[in-house]
Amino acid sequence: MYPAELVKPMREDLTSIGFEELHTVEDVEKAMEAKGTTLVVVNSVCGCAAANARPGARISLQNAKKPDNLFTVFAGVDKEATDKARGYMVPFPPSSPSMALFKDGELVHMLERHHIEGRPADMIAENLIGAYNEFC
């Protein structure tokens, strides 16, 4: 587990743009009952989360179409919540950072770490925007 003061600014990268943090299994279960489209970001302390994933998510939300619901779990901090969220992302293996788009609880689009690592934030945003335009 990482110290709260270390991850606070990393959490705020997403909460400051409208993401709701999910800290418990119950939080995740309730969030996944949300109707409409839901983006879940598995946040992380790694460099690719800071340089690519979080900025990519931020840029993607400038699109006309965007998810109805924005949630995030933090890998290495909220272990049980993260594990529960990843359970909804099967058959994709656990990875962080990662991003999953759901429509009425059904997984419709997934970005795994290997789609994020080494790719610029604009490219990640374009990928998400394509999914938003199709499913939102």
Side-chain angles (χ1 to χ4, degrees):
M1 294 296 195
Y2 298 102
E5 61 275 3
L6 173 73
V7 299
K8 185 177 186 281
M10 298 172 207
R11 289 182 183 274
E12 290 173 349
D13 275 351
L14 294 177
T15 59
S16 68
I17 57 170
F19 281 83
E20 179 183 335
E21 289 185 295
L22 307 174
H23 299 286
T24 68
V25 168
E26 294 78 20
D27 291 345
V28 174
E29 290 171 342
K30 183 178 177 187
M32 294 311 296
E33 292 174 1
K35 295 296 180 197
T37 51
T38 300
L39 180 65
V40 177
V41 174
V42 179
N43 203 350
S44 171
V45 299
C46 72
C48 63
N52 312 90
R54 294 190 300 264
R58 183 181 315 105
I59 295 165
S60 76
L61 296 177
Q62 296 171 13
N63 191 50
K65 290 184 177 183
K66 53 190 157 201
D68 300 308
N69 310 290
L70 303 170
F71 298 111
T72 181
V73 294
F74 208 112
V77 178
D78 299 315
K79 182 180 178 352
E80 292 82 13
T82 302
D83 289 347
K84 185 66 176 180
R86 286 175 171 159
Y88 290 96
M89 299 172 193
V90 170
F92 297 94
S95 68
S96 55
S98 60
M99 302 178 191
L101 184 66
F102 298 87
K103 185 166 186 170
D104 296 326
E106 179 186 342
L107 179 64
V108 294
H109 188 76
M110 184 76 188
L111 279 172
E112 298 175 84
R113 179 185 178 105
H114 70 88
H115 297 120
I116 297 168
E117 191 173 32
R119 290 178 172 76
D122 288 339
M123 183 180 287
I124 293 161
E126 286 177 27
N127 183 297
L128 289 171
I129 288 168
Y132 301 166
N133 289 340
E134 181 175 353
F135 298 107
C136 295

